Amino acid sequence: MTAPQLVHIGVAHVLGRRVRVVAPTLKGDEERACLLEILLRKHAAIRAVRVTAAIGSVVVHFDPHRMPRNSLLRLLDTIVQNLGTVRRRTGSVEGASAGPACEVNLAIEGMTCASCAALIQLVLRRDPRVRNATVNYGAQTATVTGRVDRAELERIIGGLGYVAHPMDTLTQRRLVVERERLRLTVARRRAMLAAVFTLPVMAIGMAMPRAWPLRLLELVLATPVVLGIGRPFFAQAWKLAQLRTANMDTLIAIGAGAAYAHSVVSFLAGRRHLYFEAAAGSLSFVLLGRWLEERARGKASEAVRGLVALQPATATVIRDGVELSLPADALSVDDVVLVRPGDRIPADGTVLSGLSTLDESMLTGESMPVVKQPGATVVGGCVNGTGTLRVRVTAAGVDTVLAGIVRMVDGAQSGKLPVQRMADRISEVFVPGVMGVSGLTFLSWLMSGGSFGRALDSAVSVLLIACPCALGLATPTAIMAATGQAARRGIYIRDGAALETASRLSVLVCDKTGTITEGRPVVTDFALVGGFGDEDVVLALVASAESGSEHHLARAVVDHARRRGVEPVAAEATEAVAGQGLRARVGGHDLLIGNVEFLQDAGIDTEPAAQRLGELATQGRTPIVAAIDGRIAAIYGVADRPRPAAAAAIRALAGIGVRTVMVTGDVLAVAHQVAREVGIEAVIAGASPARKQDIVAEYKERGEIVGMVGDGINDAPALAAADVGFAVGTGTDVAIEAAPITIVGGDIAKVAELVELSRKTMRIVRQNLMWAMGYNTIAIPIAAMGRLSPMVASSAMALSSVSVVTNSLRLQRDQPDG
């Protein structure tokens, strides 16, 4: 088993001597979390394990000399699978009927209207092996969760007359994009060819009276349109009829087919009342509308297509000193790739040698290039500058950041907003209802003394003017355009429902460190207390204890030690206590490092440092205390600067009616100092992760719509509890897993942008739904009264869908208007 297969247990990252895994189905399962930790600790090469069941996080510190990291990854995979906690997120599952539920994402080819999506979704949901299925007409995708593999899903969907394609890897997505382009070309060709035959038929139809040769010419020109170019409508309608169901193709086939068949019979009988122009014209207008709809829908999905195109097709791999050109999907962890000037990075990795700059705008939305040198991390898809880099691959294929972003945007675009549920219910019964209205219209005209031709015209017009497509497109096209616009700004939306909720946001709870501040604190003071005399020795012990921690304050003291020429060593054991500090054993010494309360709870006398601690706090610095072997040894102060755009972001949020509350585990004096600098009035300090979650719950109980923005593991419970969670993309993977929206680059001003964009999106969704429902409410009765010809009805139906998509595309303007 190779490392990339660890996608089965979530998102795995190898960081030096640490492996971090996110296993979503481990969340909340304390018993299995404890068992996992016990089993891992049995291995001598594993130095420390931290399993956080509440958020499904597993962090393992190991000795790479005693256990290579690939062996550790295989071990993790085996243990987690044996525990039964795996929820495989993509791909097929062997023995699916008895195994865990899996999630399969598919691109569906052949859907022509919203009723197609409703039909596929209904059939999939009826399968007892399927837990849930969502089919999105606008995005042309399906997401299925259950104990059924991809091959079986493709067979079920194929039986309905549609074609399903996998879209897990970026290469598969690229093939889907190529098919979309081909489909657009075919749609254009069919529309143009139909128009060439139909225009003469319509011109002849206006001639009165029509001589026999003209009637024959009508038959000759209309037949290729109806039976040739329009054949897919009849083929799909017949296949659905065999399954005792119907969709929009059924309406079109019945309408155009009835007009054509009646005209053929009348022609052979020598009658003059022919409707060839209605049959050919209606099909031509429908084909034209679908081509325009394909074009418009393609523009709405440009963001995902642009992301897919970022991964280069090939990569230059160095093996045994020889340069090889391989497909990017063939890369694996630990491969060394050569990236020349102007090339795109083929996979995520770490720079081994070379100096260059990268354009990371596709991730962050920021155009400033970023300097990369040995030890720096690089992300697949970014453009290399003028230098040559040798990069060791740390994540490839479906594990890369780019692939994750594409899945995230895909997930948002494939989702449905709550406001769409009514439209979905209407779409499910729309086609049978319209067929019934059409039949009643035909009978009513005949019973009231109308001619057969008038009755047929009116019935066909009802069939052709009805349009569930506009209803089906109202929400997904707006989501596609909005998520695409957000992605271009470095805001990635995982869940479309969060987009709707963000429009009603009233309170934003913000973490301080790494969110309001830069998250790169520095040690400003380091002083010994309690009789310890050698500062470098104490600093070495403290830095060694902190070297395995992911916390911002821990990194600050490690960096401080290295600047002083003191190199930390690996701790023998560490145990982090969220929101308080850590316990560690280094070089035979027991260390406690954290806030005053943490040390006091452990029985450490902190009185000798009380005065100095107070001074640090009043200066707006975070005071940290270190004890060695049960005695206080040192105190140090850490300061973190606010982000440059934080104050402007707080003002922007206030300007759109969103109140900001800063909640932090830091001391009150430090919290107030930062709050004054950025303009936040409400501050809650000394908050543990559980307290942050409680604060979110308290605001929700007051009826507020609460957003939470944070970047750390300790923020994950609050992010998950909030109505909308915003994870700062420079933070941990656990925080990003817990939040439906990720802000890459850490600029919280993007929260205000997202709220404005979501409000505009919801306005456009409501406009689309009002237009779609209003159109059918008015148009169907008018057609039933005989006031619309079939050609006018079919053109109106086509234009209704195009108008909805065009309205949604307004979201792609550069700046959202409030």
Side-chain angles (χ1 to χ4, degrees), residues 649-673:
I650 302 305
R651 289 194 299 271
L653 287 164
I656 57 175
V658 178
R659 304 194 312 279
T660 307
V661 180
M662 187 169 77
V663 179
T664 176
D666 215 335
V667 296
L668 186 62
V670 175
H672 274 298
Q673 176 66 26

Side-chain angles (χ1 to χ4, degrees), residues 141-394:
T141 60
T143 301
V144 185
T145 305
R147 293 179 174 85
V148 55
D149 63 20
R150 176 179 287 106
E152 180 65 12
L153 290 172
E154 290 176 358
R155 187 194 66 77
I156 294 171
I157 294 169
L160 297 174
Y162 307 95
V163 181
H165 300 287
M167 46 181 250
D168 295 331
T169 68
L170 293 180
T171 297
Q172 290 172 340
R173 282 305 312 255
R174 194 176 288 113
L175 291 174
V176 170
V177 170
E178 290 302 321
R179 292 189 191 99
E180 288 175 355
R181 290 175 180 153
L182 178 61
R183 191 165 62 245
L184 182 59
T185 301
V186 171
R188 178 181 180 276
R189 187 182 302 129
R190 290 178 67 198
M192 295 298 101
L193 190 58
V196 169
F197 284 98
T198 300
L199 288 174
V201 176
M202 294 176 65
I204 294 170
M206 297 177 187
M208 290 293 178
R210 283 175 278 185
W212 184 85
L214 289 177
R215 297 202 298 274
L216 176 61
L217 184 59
E218 277 190 286
L219 172 62
V220 170
L221 292 173
T223 299
V225 177
V226 177
L227 301 183
I229 303 168
R231 185 174 177 275
F233 291 107
F234 298 97
Q236 181 67 9
W238 174 245
K239 180 170 284 190
L240 294 176
Q242 291 175 309
L243 297 171
R244 298 182 180 180
T245 187
N247 69 359
M248 194 65 199
D249 286 344
T250 306
L251 302 184
I252 295 168
I254 292 174
Y260 177 78
H262 174 71
S263 299
V264 170
V265 172
S266 297
F267 173 80
L268 295 175
R271 294 194 290 267
R272 295 181 178 272
H273 296 291
L274 308 179
Y275 302 94
F276 287 119
E277 75 278 6
S282 61
L283 287 174
S284 295
F285 279 117
V286 170
L287 291 170
L288 176 63
R290 288 193 174 174
W291 170 47
L292 295 175
E293 183 185 312
E294 286 277 359
R295 281 185 62 191
R297 200 169 59 221
K299 290 180 181 177
S301 60
E302 279 178 352
V304 172
R305 291 208 303 272
L307 287 169
V308 171
L310 291 174
Q311 186 197 48
T314 60
T316 302
V317 184
I318 301 174
R319 290 182 180 170
D320 299 324
V322 179
E323 294 183 13
L324 302 173
S325 181
L326 297 177
D329 276 356
L331 292 176
S332 58
V333 173
D334 286 338
D335 275 340
V336 176
V337 296
L338 186 67
V339 185
R340 295 185 172 89
D343 287 352
R344 288 192 181 275
I345 308 294
D348 299 351
T350 303
V351 177
L352 294 178
S353 63
L355 177 65
S356 187
T357 58
L358 287 192
D359 177 2
E360 297 184 338
S361 58
M362 69 97 179
L363 280 177
T364 65
E366 303 295 334
S367 59
M368 290 296 292
V370 181
V371 176
K372 297 295 179 179
Q373 55 192 350
T377 58
V378 295
V379 176
C382 296
V383 179
N384 187 26
T386 57
T388 299
L389 299 174
R390 287 165 59 96
V391 176
R392 184 182 298 280
V393 175
T394 57

Side-chain angles (χ1 to χ4, degrees), residues 215 452 573 583 742 796:
R215 297 202 298 274
F452 179 86
R583 300 182 182 91
T742 300

Side-chain angles (χ1 to χ4, degrees), residues 578-645:
Q580 296 184 61
L582 63 82
R583 300 182 182 91
R585 185 166 182 81
V586 182
H589 297 282
D590 292 319
L591 281 81
L592 261 68
I593 304 170
N595 57 35
V596 173
E597 292 77 12
F598 179 54
L599 269 70
Q600 288 176 344
D601 290 345
I604 306 295
D605 181 15
T606 60
E607 186 59 32
Q611 182 178 350
R612 185 62 181 136
L613 287 170
E615 292 173 358
L616 290 174
T618 56
Q619 293 166 3
R621 297 167 186 172
T622 302
I624 301 174
V625 188
I628 300 175
D629 295 329
R631 292 171 49 213
I632 188 167
I635 61 171
Y636 53 99
V638 179
D640 189 10
R641 294 173 299 180
R643 291 182 181 272

Side-chain angles (χ1 to χ4, degrees), residues 369-435:
V370 181
V371 176
K372 297 295 179 179
Q373 55 192 350
T377 58
V378 295
V379 176
C382 296
V383 179
N384 187 26
T386 57
T388 299
L389 299 174
R390 287 165 59 96
V391 176
R392 184 182 298 280
V393 175
T394 57
V398 296
D399 292 336
T400 63
V401 170
L402 180 59
I405 288 173
V406 171
R407 284 196 301 273
M408 187 183 296
V409 177
D410 260 341
Q413 294 190 345
S414 299
K416 293 184 178 180
L417 304 189
V419 74
Q420 177 73 6
R421 290 171 187 160
M422 180 175 63
D424 286 344
R425 287 195 294 269
I426 293 172
S427 294
E428 288 175 4
V429 299
F430 189 88
V431 171
V434 169
M435 292 173 68

